[in-house]
Amino acid sequence: MTATSPECITVRTEGRVGIVTLNRPKQLNALNNQLMDELGAALKAFDADQDIGCMIVTGSEKAFAAGADIGAMATYTFADVYNGDYITRNWETIRAIRKPVIAAVSGFALGGGCELAMMCDFIIAADNAKFGQPEIKLGIIPGAGGTQRLPRAVGKAKTMDMVLTSRMMDATEAERAGLVSRVVPLDKLMDEALGAALVICGLSLPSVMAAKEAVNRSFEGTLSDGVMFERRLFHALFATEDQKEGMDAFVNKRKPDFKNR
Ligand code: HXC
């Protein structure tokens, strides 16, 4: 965590779930360096905290995040952005988080906001959510994975449509296309996300982290390499006491009590 209290996010826990709420309401949670630094620090702290099993990143009803802060970016030069200390700072931190991170999205998830949601492990959307990569209207293109993660989620046709025309996708279309895992009424969004997070928190953490690592590996390299990677993780989990506990509980028709949560 940052030494001082964060100003652009709020951080709280609910049981073993760490919740980060983006909090720049006047700018529709536009992502500036301070917010990204605070978000990265908060997620890293939760990742290292043995009392936390899962994380949720969320925004406001009106906006998950309306993108990178255009006002801040407006005067940047090539050198400013290329040296890495502007805009993309700390985005890779989120990718390196090992425990599951759920994006609970309501309202606008545009540009860097859509990319941030896609960096999370899965997206639960409220029925008012709108996803888009409108950077083309600003004379730029997505810069935090939009052209790479969106086609992996929804395919080339919809990605090209969104990236080239800046068309937004509503929650229904996003679910149909595979960008989001669930759509719920706005007032049920946090309950749904918390429910999913609490399920994850009740499971064996080594298997949860291995599952996340294996699924993410499917987006890198070849199928053969991915299958072999999965197999080795699968084998390794037989060395955990939680595997014995989980299988014994099933065989004896009782609830498992995992030790490594
Ligand atoms: C800075 C922003 C902002 C942004 C909104 N605001 N989006 N400020 N950066 N990305 C501010 C507005 O200036 C305004 O401030 C206030 O939030 C409310 O926004 P309105 O436009 O008045 O609201 P509304 O009419 O409801 O329209 C909502 C909106 C629109 C459709 C989301 O704000 C919009 O198009 N925003 C820009 C979206 C975008 O282009 N995102 C991509 C950015 S580039 P005031 O002071 O006027 O009230 C990007 C690159 C990522 O993300 C690269 C990652 C490395």
Side-chain angles (χ1 to χ4, degrees):
M1 289 287 242
T2 44
T4 52
S5 304
E7 293 169 348
C8 302
I9 60 170
T10 61
V11 179
R12 67 187 173 97
T13 56
E14 187 113 4
R16 300 187 65 245
V17 183
I19 302 168
V20 180
T21 305
L22 310 184
N23 188 31
R24 297 186 75 215
K26 285 193 190 131
Q27 297 85 6
L28 302 186
N29 292 332
L31 307 166
N32 62 7
N33 280 340
Q34 185 181 348
L35 185 151
M36 292 309 297
D37 284 349
E38 290 176 0
L39 175 63
L43 294 179
K44 258 164 94 169
F46 280 144
D47 211 30
D49 185 341
Q50 292 195 343
D51 292 331
I52 296 295
C54 187
M55 291 157 244
I56 296 173
V57 178
T58 192
S60 68
E61 285 189 7
K62 177 155 186 195
F64 177 73
D69 192 315
I70 300 168
M73 282 188 296
T75 57
Y76 286 167
T77 63
F78 171 78
D80 288 336
V81 293
Y82 188 75
N83 81 12
D85 209 24
Y86 293 87
I87 312 180
T88 46
R89 182 166 73 184
N90 237 331
W91 288 82
E92 290 300 311
T93 309
I94 296 157
R95 205 157 92 102
I97 300 296
R98 298 185 69 203
K99 291 172 188 167
V101 183
I102 300 170
V105 174
S106 46
F108 296 109
L110 302 179
C114 187
E115 292 170 311
L116 173 60
M118 289 192 290
M119 259 178 223
C120 298
D121 297 312
F122 61 99
I123 302 172
I124 299 181
D127 51 12
N128 74 338
K130 283 193 183 299
F131 298 87
Q133 298 288 165
E135 289 92 338
I136 203 86
K137 286 201 293 192
L138 301 169
I140 55 169
I141 65 169
T147 64
Q148 306 302 304
R149 291 197 180 90
L150 195 58
R152 283 166 167 82
V154 306
K156 177 182 166 185
K158 278 188 188 292
T159 301
M160 284 292 192
D161 186 357
M162 292 169 72
V163 168
L164 295 178
T165 73
S166 78
R167 178 175 80 82
M168 291 185 214
M169 233 188 225
D170 67 17
T172 307
E173 183 182 3
E175 185 187 27
R176 203 170 56 223
L179 179 59
V180 313
S181 67
R182 317 178 191 183
V183 178
V184 294
L186 177 58
D187 63 346
K188 298 280 183 303
L189 178 65
M190 281 315 286
D191 286 349
E192 190 77 15
L194 264 171
L198 288 169
V199 168
I200 291 168
C201 289
L203 301 169
S204 168
L205 187 58
S207 64
V208 164
M209 287 168 63
K212 168 169 173 164
E213 212 178 345
V215 173
N216 280 336
R217 186 56 76 98
S218 75
F219 295 104
E220 324 275 346
T222 64
L223 178 63
S224 305
D225 287 346
V227 168
M228 188 51 73
F229 182 76
E230 177 198 72
R231 189 165 308 158
R232 292 295 173 245
L233 287 177
F234 175 77
H235 292 158
L237 290 167
F238 281 76
T240 65
E241 58 183 331
D242 283 344
Q243 173 267 331
K244 303 288 175 295
E245 170 62 12
M247 293 192 182
D248 185 74
F250 180 84
V251 168
N252 291 300
K253 302 191 187 307
R254 62 177 175 82
K255 274 186 77 170
D257 178 16
F258 293 118
K259 295 287 175 283
N260 296 296
R261 283 190 286 173

